[in-house]
C-alpha cells in the first residue's frame, strides 16, 4: 500500500488547499485536525483519512506519523508552544522513517525578532534542521486572507483599518501556498534543505487594495491607517487575540513598516508552474463575502 502524506492544520487556510492539490495528483492524504466538525467531514467525503489530535501531544504525533512518506507541519501562530511541538514532530518523524517535512514558518522569522512568535519560528526551523529529516522551510509574507479579517469594518465602516502604514508588500493567497506545499510533498527531494520566501504576484499598499475592493464591490472603501498601539484593542476584541498573538501582530506590524514583508520572487511559479493569484482575482473570488 502506498504511504500517505500527512497534512496538519488540515482545515486551515493553507492545509485545505494543499489537500485539494494532493488529491488532484491522486496522492493519498491523512489529515490531522484539532477538532471534528463539518470541515473534517467534508474532507472524509473526499477520501481523506481524518485524525483528531493536538500537535502538543507527543504520543499522538507519533501515531499520526506512522506509515507517512512526507508531512506538512503547521503550528498555529495564535498560541505558544511551537518549539516543543517541533521537537516532538521532528523526533516522531525520525522514529517513523518520514522522508521529508515541509515546515510553515514566516518571512520575518529571525533570531533578533521582537515578536516572540517570529523568533520562536526561527528557533523551530533550527530544531528541524538538526534532527536530520530532510526539511523545506516556507516563509510567506502576509496572507491575502488578511483582507477577509476586515469584513466587519468593510461592511460597517467602509474601511480597512490596519497599522501597516503605506508600505507595499505582495500578499500571497492560501491557495497559492497550498499548491507549493503539495508540489513539494509530491516530489520533495529537489527541495530538501531549502528555504523559500513566498510572495504574491505584485507589491501593493493597503491604499491600493482598498481601491481594488471599491472597484469590485461598487462601493467606496477607504484605508484608514492607525498607529500600532491603536491596533491593539482591535486585535483583542475583533480578532479575539490573547497576549501571545497580540504581541506577535504588533511586533510584525513594525516589521512590515520596516520592509521585512516587502519583496517579490518567482518561487511560486518555479515550484508549481503557475504564477501566483493576483490580489484583484482574490478580491473577485471573495466578492460575495465582502459586500
Amino acid at each position: 500500500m502506498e504511504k500517505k502524506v500527512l497534512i496538519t492544520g488540515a482545515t486551515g487556510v493553507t492545509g485545505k488547499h494543499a489537500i485539494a492539490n494532493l488529491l488532484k495528483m491522486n496522492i493519498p492524504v491523512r489529515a490531522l485536525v484539532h477538532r471534528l466538525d463539518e470541515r473534517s467531514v467534508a474532507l472524509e467525503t473526499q477520501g481523506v483519512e481524518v485524525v483528531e489530535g493536538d500537535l502538543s501531544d507527543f504520543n499522538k504525533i507519533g501515531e499520526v506519523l506512522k506509515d507517512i512518506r512526507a508531512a506538512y507541519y503547521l503550528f498555529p501562530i495564535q498560541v505558544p508552544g511551537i518549539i516543543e511541538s517541533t521537537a516532538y514532530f521532528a523526533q516522531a518523524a525520525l522514529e517513523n522513517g518520514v522522508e521529508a517535512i515541509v515546515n510553515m514558518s514566516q518571512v520575518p522569522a529571525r533570531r533578533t525578532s521582537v515578536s516572540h512568535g517570529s523568533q520562536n519560528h526561527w528557533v523551530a526551523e533550527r530544531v528541524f534542521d538538526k534532527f536530520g529529516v530532510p526539511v523545506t522551510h516556507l516563509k510567506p509574507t502576509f496572507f491575502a486572507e488578511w483582507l477577509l479579517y476586515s469584513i466587519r469594518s468593510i461592511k460597517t465602516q467602509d474601511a480597512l483599518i490596519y497599522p501597516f502604514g503605506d508600505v507595499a508588500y505582495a500578499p500571497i493567497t492560501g491557495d497559492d501556498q497550498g499548491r507549493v506545499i503539495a508540489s513539494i510533498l509530491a516530489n520533495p527531494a529537489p527541495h530538501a534543505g531549502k528555504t523559500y520566501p513566498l510572495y504574491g504576484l505584485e507589491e501593493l499598499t493597503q491604499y491600493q487594495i482598498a481601491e481594488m475592493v471599491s472597484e469590485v464591490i461598487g462601493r467606496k472603501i477607504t484605508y484608514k491607517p492607525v498607529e500600532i498601539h491603536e491596533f491593539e484593542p482591535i486585535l483583542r476584541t475583533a480578532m479575539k487575540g490573547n497576549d501571545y498573538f497580540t504581541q506577535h501582530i504588533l511586533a510584525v506590524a513594525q516589521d512590515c513598516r520596516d520592509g521585512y514583508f516587502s519583496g517579490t520572487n518567482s518561487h511560486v511559479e518555479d515550484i508549481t508552474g503557475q504564477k501566483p493569484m493576483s490580489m484583484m482575482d482574490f478580491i473577485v473570488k471573495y466578492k460575495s463575502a465582502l459586500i
Side-chain angles (χ1 to χ4, degrees):
M1 182 180 295
E2 182 181 358
K3 285 189 173 183
K4 294 181 178 180
V5 164
L6 174 70
I7 300 294
T8 65
T11 57
V13 172
T14 59
K16 65 182 180 182
H17 291 297
I19 290 174
N21 282 277
L22 288 165
L23 294 178
K24 288 178 183 177
M25 293 184 276
N26 295 315
I27 295 174
V29 176
R30 178 179 297 161
L32 179 65
V33 300
H34 188 66
R35 65 179 179 275
L36 301 176
D37 56 23
E38 66 279 359
R39 297 172 302 172
S40 61
V41 171
L43 290 177
E44 288 181 319
T45 62
Q46 299 174 67
V48 175
E49 178 192 358
V50 174
V51 179
E52 183 181 17
D54 194 316
L55 282 171
S56 297
D57 183 339
F58 181 43
N59 292 330
K60 190 65 179 183
I61 293 171
E63 292 176 13
V64 298
L65 283 171
K66 290 179 180 177
D67 299 317
I68 290 296
R69 175 179 61 78
Y72 170 54
Y73 175 81
L74 168 69
F75 192 88
I77 192 61
Q78 291 85 355
V79 294
I82 186 174
I83 298 173
E84 181 178 65
S85 172
T86 299
Y88 288 165
F89 200 89
Q91 179 62 32
L94 190 65
E95 292 174 354
N96 283 283
V98 174
E99 298 171 13
I101 295 171
V102 175
N103 171 47
M104 177 58 72
S105 185
Q106 51 180 281
V107 76
R110 61 197 189 280
R111 193 184 193 287
T112 58
S113 177
V114 173
S115 158
H116 301 315
S118 295
Q119 187 179 65
N120 289 346
H121 263 289
W122 181 87
V123 175
E125 291 174 21
R126 307 291 74 75
V127 171
F128 271 130
D129 290 342
K130 293 180 184 300
F131 265 81
V133 178
V135 62
T136 305
H137 301 297
L138 304 182
K139 304 184 74 161
T141 187
F142 277 130
F143 288 18
E145 281 76 7
W146 263 87
L147 177 64
L148 304 181
Y149 305 153
S150 292
I151 286 176
R152 182 178 177 84
S153 67
I154 290 172
K155 290 185 174 182
T156 62
Q157 302 178 56
D158 291 334
L160 299 180
I161 303 172
Y162 288 124
F164 303 143
D166 60 356
V167 173
Y169 65 92
I172 183 167
T173 67
D175 197 328
D176 287 320
Q177 293 177 77
R179 289 189 296 106
V180 170
I181 294 160
S183 295
I184 297 173
L185 291 172
N187 182 27
H191 308 284
K194 295 185 178 179
T195 297
Y196 295 118
L198 298 178
Y199 301 97
L201 186 65
E202 60 182 339
E203 290 185 295
L204 300 164
T205 67
Q206 293 296 326
Y207 292 106
Q208 292 171 301
I209 293 173
E211 290 175 0
M212 290 179 175
V213 175
S214 302
E215 180 180 342
V216 170
I217 70 175
R219 191 173 79 251
K220 178 62 177 176
I221 303 300
T222 302
Y223 171 46
K224 297 181 178 179
V226 296
E227 294 303 315
I228 292 174
H229 71 273
E230 294 174 323
F231 196 61
E232 181 171 353
I234 297 174
L235 279 171
R236 292 190 180 277
T237 55
M239 296 187 179
K240 300 179 181 179
N242 57 24
D243 289 346
Y244 182 84
F245 180 67
T246 298
Q247 192 274 340
H248 167 68
I249 295 298
L250 296 181
V252 298
Q254 185 62 56
D255 282 348
C256 182
R257 291 184 174 203
D258 292 340
Y260 282 97
F261 285 81
S262 300
T264 57
N265 60 36
S266 61
H267 288 328
V268 172
E269 184 177 9
D270 293 342
I271 294 170
T272 70
Q274 181 178 330
K275 288 183 180 294
M277 180 186 295
S278 71
M279 194 64 194
M280 178 61 83
D281 286 343
F282 178 84
I283 294 168
V284 169
K285 179 178 180 179
Y286 289 97
K287 176 180 177 179
S288 60
L290 297 168
I291 294 177

